[in-house]
C-alpha cells in the first residue's frame, strides 16, 4: 500500500505533464498518422534518426503511453492519439516486411498494441490487424525466433497470442499456442537445480540468463500467466523450475541476482576459458533494474507467490525489497529510464507495498523527484547515453518514465511492464501433452532412455507411475527402485543407470554455447602450439583430461546390455556448444585418458605407465620403441581433438 498526499500527487502530475508536452512538441504528423523518430547509433558516438515501430524504443511503446493516459484521464483525445500512432505504425516497412518478431522488440509487440487499442476503443479493425499480422508472420514467430525470453523471444509471443486467443477463441490460435508450448517443453534443459532455456548461441552469457527481460524470470512469468489462464499445472510447474534454476545465481553478498551477460572485455580476460564464475563476477552483482537484477526478478516472484501461496516466493520478494531499498537510498547512477534505470524498480515497489500493506510513498517519490531534477538539468533521463534527450521510447526514454508516473497515479492501469492475462471466463481447453505429469515424463526420460526402457520391460508403464517433483528427485527414485530389484545382476539395469547418470551429470554442468565456443578457441590455439612440439618437449610437459570431458570405463555387461561393440573400452561424455555428445574409444586411448582422468602427469610418466601395462616384462627394444611411438602419436591425436591439454596448475 502506498498513499500520496495532495502535494505529492501534484508533483507527479507536474512531471507527467512535462513528459506529455515534450512528446507533443517532438512528434511528426502526416496524412497517415503520428510518429516519432528514435536515435539510432551508427557508432558509439555517432547516431542518426529512424522511425521504429517496436515497443522498446519505437512508436508502439509511445502508443501504450497514450493508452495509459486515456485510462487515467478518460480523455478521448488521448485514445485518438494512440490510434493515430498505431495507424502510422501499421503502414511502416518494418511492419509490412518485418525482420524482428519478439514482444518488446518486434512484430509481436505491434500485435499486442493492436489488441490493447481494441480493448479500449472496441474497433474490430484492430483485432483484424492483430490476427492478420500473426497469420503473415506465424512461421517466424513460432519456429524461427531463436530466443525463448520475454523481451524478444518466443515465450513473450506465447503471452501475446494467448491474449489474442482470449478475444477471438479460434482453433488456429489454439494450435499456435500448442506449438509454442511444445517448443518450450522440447527446449527445456536440466541444470544442477531446475530447468533452463536459451543455452544456445543466441545469448552471450556465462549461462542461461537470470532476469526479467532476457532470462528465467521473464520466461517463468509467461508460463505462470498462460498456465493460470488455461488452468494448466504443467506450465506452472515449468515456471517454478525456471525460478529454481535462477536461484543458483542469487548472490547473497550483494543481495542481488547476477547479470550473467558477457561482453568483449570479460571474454578477453586471460582465464576466461576456465569459465569460472569468480573470474567474471566482480561486475555481475551490481545491475539492478527492470531488465536485469532484483527489480524485475521480484515481479516474477510476486506473481509466483500470488498464484501458489508458497512462502519461499514471499521470502524472495523480501530479498528484492531489501536490495531495491538499499539502491534507492543512494541513487548514485544517472539512469532513470524504465528498462535499465531506477523508475524500472517502481512497479515492484508499488505492488509489494500493496501486498505488505506498507506505505513506501516516500521511497517512491524520492525516485520521481530525483528523475525530475536530473531532467530539468540535462533534458535526459539517462546521461550515460548521449542521445537520450532525443529518445521518446517506452523502455529506453521519456515515455517510459511517463508510463511509470501513470502507474503510480492509477493502480488499476494495465501494464506492459508487468503483462497480466485476463481471467478466462470462456472455458479451459486442454493443451495436449502439457499437464504436469506428461511434461515431467517427457523432459526427464530424455536423459534416461535406456534405463526407463529396461524398467518398463520389468514393470509396464513404470515411468507413468513414478512421481518425482524434479530431476534430482527422479534420479534418487530411480536409484532406490533399481537397488531393490530382485536378480539385479541378471538385467544390467544398474550399470545402464550409472552410465546415463554420469551423462546427465555432464548435462547439469553444461553452461551453454558460449562457454564451449570459448573453450574450443583456447584448446585449438593450444593444440596448434603443441603441434610443433618435439617428442622430448611432449615428454616433459604435464597433461590433464580437459574439463569439458568426462571419462567412463565400459564393462562387458554394460556393453552387452546397451548393444555396444566389445572393442569399445570406454566412453567419453563431451560438452560441446550444442550439448553433450558421447564418444566411444579403444584400448590405447582408454589407457591414456584413464590415467589422466585420475591425475595430471607428464608425457614421460604417462608413456612409462602404459609401457608397463603392455610390456610388463621389458620385452625387446624394438617392441618398446614401436609402442612408444604409437603412444606419442595417440597423444598428439587426443591433443588435436581437444580431449587432453596442458596442466595449467603447473
Amino acid at each position: 500500500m502506498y498513499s500520496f498526499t495532495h502535494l505529492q500527487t501534484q508533483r507527479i502530475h507536474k512531471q507527467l505533464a512535462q513528459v506529455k508536452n515534450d512528446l507533443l512538441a517532438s512528434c511528426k504528423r502526416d496524412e497517415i498518422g503520428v510518429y516519432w523518430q528514435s536515435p539510432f547509433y551508427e557508432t558509439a558516438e555517432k547516431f542518426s534518426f529512424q522511425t521504429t515501430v517496436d515497443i522498446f524504443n519505437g512508436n508502439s511503446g509511445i502508443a501504450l503511453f497514450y493508452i495509459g493516459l486515456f485510462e487515467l484521464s478518460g480523455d478521448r483525445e488521448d485514445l485518438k492519439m494512440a490510434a493515430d500512432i498505431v495507424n502510422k505504425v501499421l503502414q511502416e516497412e518494418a511492419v509490412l516486411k518485418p525482420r524482428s518478431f519478439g514482444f518488446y522488440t518486434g512484430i509481436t509487440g505491434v500485435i499486442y498494441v493492436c489488441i490493447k487499442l481494441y480493448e479500449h476503443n472496441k474497433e474490430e479493425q484492430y483485432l483484424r490487424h492483430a490476427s492478420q499480422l500473426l497469420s503473415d508472420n506465424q512461421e517466424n514467430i513460432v519456429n524461427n525466433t531463436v530466443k525463448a525470453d520475454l523481451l524478444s523471444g518466443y515465450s513473450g509471443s506465447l503471452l501475446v497470442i494467448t491474449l489474442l486467443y482470449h478475444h477471438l477463441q479460434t482453433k488456429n490460435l489454439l494450435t499456435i499456442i500448442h506449438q509454442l508450448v511444445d517448443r518450450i517443453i522440447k527446449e527445456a534443459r536440466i541444470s544442477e537445480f531446475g530447468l533452463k532455456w536459451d543455452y544456445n548461441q543466441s545469448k552471450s552469457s556465462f549461462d542461461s540468463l537470470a532476469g526479467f527481460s532476457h532470462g528465467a524470470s521473464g520466461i517463468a512469468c509467461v508460463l505462470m500467466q498462460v498456465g493460470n489462464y488455461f488452468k494448466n499445472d504443467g506450465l506452472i510447474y515449468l515456471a517454478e523450475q525456471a525460478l529454481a534454476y535462477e536461484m543458483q545465481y542469487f548472490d547473497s553478498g550483494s543481495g542481488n541476482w547476477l547479470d550473467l551477460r558477457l561482453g568483449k572485455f570479460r571474454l578477453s580476460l586471460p582465464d576466461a576459458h576456465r569459465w569460472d564464475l569468480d573470474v567474471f563476477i566482480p561486475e555481475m552483482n551490481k545491475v539492478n533494474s527492470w531488465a536485469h537484477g532484483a527489480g524485475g526478478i521480484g515481479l516474477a516472484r510476486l506473481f509466483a507467490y500470488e498464484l501458489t501461496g508458497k512462502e519461499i516466493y514471499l521470502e524472495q520478494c523480501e530479498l528484492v525489497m531489501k536490495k531495491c531499498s538499499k539502491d534507492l537510498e543512494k541513487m548514485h547512477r544517472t539512469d532513470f529510464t524504465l528498462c535499465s534505470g531506477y523508475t524500472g524498480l517502481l512497479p515492484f515497489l508499488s505492488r509489494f507495498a500493496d501486498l505488505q500493506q506498507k506505505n513506501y510513498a516516500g521511497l517512491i517519490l524520492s525516485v520521481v523527484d530525483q528523475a525530475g531534477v536530473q531532467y530539468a538539468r540535462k533534458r535526459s533521463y539517462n546521461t550515460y547515453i548521449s542521445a537520450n534527450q532525443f529518445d521518446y521510447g517506452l523502455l529506453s526514454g521519456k515515455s517510459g518514465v511517463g508510463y511509470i508516473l501513470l502507474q503510480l497515479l492509477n493502480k488499476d492501469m494495465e501494464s506492459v511492464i508487468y503483462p497480466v492475462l485476463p481471467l478466462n471466463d470462456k472455458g479451459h481447453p486442454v493443451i495436449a501433452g502439457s499437464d504436469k505429469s506428461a511434461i515431467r515424463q517427457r523432459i526427464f526420460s530424455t536423459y534416461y532412455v535406456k534405463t526407463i526402457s529396461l524398467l518398463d520391460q520389468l514393470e509396464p508403464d513404470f515411468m507413468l507411475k513414478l512421481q518425482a517433483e524434479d530431476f534430482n528427485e527422479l534420479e534418487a527414485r530411480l536409484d532406490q527402485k533399481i537397488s531393490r530389484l530382485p536378480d539385479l545382476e541378471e538385467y544390467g539395469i544398474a550399470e545402464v543407470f550409472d552410465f546415463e547418470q554420469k551423462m546427465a551429470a555432464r548435462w547439469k554442468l553444461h553452461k551453454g554455447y558460449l562457454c564451449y565456443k570459448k573453450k574450443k578457441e583456447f584448446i585449438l590455439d593450444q593444440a596448434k602450439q603443441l603441434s610443433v612440439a618435439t617428442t622430448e618437449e611432449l615428454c616433459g610437459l604435464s597433461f590433464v583430461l580437459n574439463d569439458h570431458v568426462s571419462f567412463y570405463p565400459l564393462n562387458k555387461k554394460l556393453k552387452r546390455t546397451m548393444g555396444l561393440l566389445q572393442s569399445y573400452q570406454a566412453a567419453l561424455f563431451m560438452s560441446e556448444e550444442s550439448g553433450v555428445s558421447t564418444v566411444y574409444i579403444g584400448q590405447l586411448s582408454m589407457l591414456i585418458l584413464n590415467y589422466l582422468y585420475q591425475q595430471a602427469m607428464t608425457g614421460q610418466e604417462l608413456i612409462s605407465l602404459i609401457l608397463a601395462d603392455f610390456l610388463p616384462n621389458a620385452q625387446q627394444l624394438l617392441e618398446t620403441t614401436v609402442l612408444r611411438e604409437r603412444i606419442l602419436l595417440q597423444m598428439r591425436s587426443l591433443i588435436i581433438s581437444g580431449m587432453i591439454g596442458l596442466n595449467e596448475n603447473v
Side-chain angles (χ1 to χ4, degrees), residues 214-389:
H214 288 296
S217 276
I219 294 171
C221 196
V222 169
L223 292 171
M224 285 186 287
Q225 287 288 342
V226 177
N228 186 50
Y229 181 85
F230 288 110
K231 299 305 175 199
N232 182 283
D233 62 348
L235 297 184
I236 295 170
Y237 169 77
L238 286 177
E240 293 198 76
Q241 287 292 295
L243 297 180
Y245 163 78
E246 192 171 53
M247 285 308 296
Q248 293 175 93
Y249 292 109
F250 175 73
D251 178 48
S252 57
S254 62
N256 197 12
W257 282 260
L258 298 178
D259 175 8
L260 299 172
R261 292 173 295 175
L262 294 177
K264 290 182 179 179
F265 170 73
R266 290 176 183 170
L267 288 173
S268 64
L269 293 171
D271 290 332
H273 66 278
R274 292 178 182 265
W275 224 250
D276 182 348
L277 191 59
D278 290 338
V279 171
F280 305 111
I281 207 169
E283 300 297 321
M284 283 183 167
N285 57 17
K286 296 181 180 180
V287 178
N288 180 17
S289 63
W290 173 84
H292 298 275
I297 285 169
L299 293 172
R301 266 52 185 193
L302 273 172
F303 190 70
Y305 176 67
E306 292 166 354
L307 184 62
T308 69
K310 294 179 181 178
E311 289 295 318
I312 186 66
Y313 298 126
L314 181 59
E315 292 169 9
Q316 290 166 11
C317 286
E318 289 166 350
L319 292 172
V320 173
M321 187 65 215
K322 185 176 180 180
K323 174 61 179 174
C324 290
S325 297
K326 184 177 179 181
D327 286 354
L328 293 180
E329 286 172 4
K330 298 177 181 177
M331 274 194 284
H332 61 279
R333 300 177 66 245
T334 55
D335 183 357
F336 292 89
T337 57
L338 199 163
C339 180
S340 59
Y342 292 118
T343 58
L345 305 183
L346 300 188
F348 171 79
L349 259 67
S350 58
R351 290 185 64 87
F352 189 67
D354 287 341
L355 180 68
Q356 294 290 82
Q357 295 294 295
K358 292 183 179 179
N359 193 349
Y360 294 128
L363 190 60
I364 292 170
L365 261 295
S366 69
V367 180
V368 174
D369 291 341
Q370 192 67 24
V373 168
Q374 178 175 301
Y375 191 74
R377 292 174 181 169
K378 303 289 186 179
R379 307 304 295 172
S380 171
Y381 285 116
N382 183 1
T383 63
Y384 297 104
I385 298 175
S386 59
N388 189 256
Q389 60 182 308

Side-chain angles (χ1 to χ4, degrees), residues 587-596 598 601 605-619 624 627 631:
Q587 187 176 25
L588 185 53
S589 293
M590 183 275 291
L591 286 171
I592 294 171
L593 297 178
N594 185 34
Y595 281 123
L596 294 179
Q598 296 175 53
M601 61 180 64
E605 290 170 332
L606 190 57
I607 291 168
S608 298
L609 287 168
I610 296 173
L611 285 174
D613 288 330
F614 272 93
L615 306 171
N617 300 318
Q619 297 177 24
T624 303
L627 183 54
I631 296 168

Side-chain angles (χ1 to χ4, degrees), residues 19-30 33-38 51 59 62 66 81 84-85 88 390 392 398:
V19 171
K20 186 176 179 180
N21 289 337
D22 285 355
L23 284 169
L24 285 172
S26 59
C27 74
K28 301 178 185 296
R29 184 181 287 272
D30 61 18
V34 180
Y35 65 99
W36 286 256
Q37 291 189 308
S38 303
T51 303
N59 288 295
I62 300 173
Y66 276 96
M81 186 68 160
D84 288 345
I85 298 168
K88 177 66 175 175
F390 308 113
Y392 300 93
K398 297 179 184 180

Side-chain angles (χ1 to χ4, degrees), residues 452-468:
I452 291 169
S453 173
L454 291 170
L455 287 169
D456 276 341
Q457 291 175 30
L458 294 174
E459 186 179 326
D461 297 326
F462 164 78
M463 189 61 183
L464 293 176
K465 303 170 188 174
L466 184 66
Q467 297 297 316

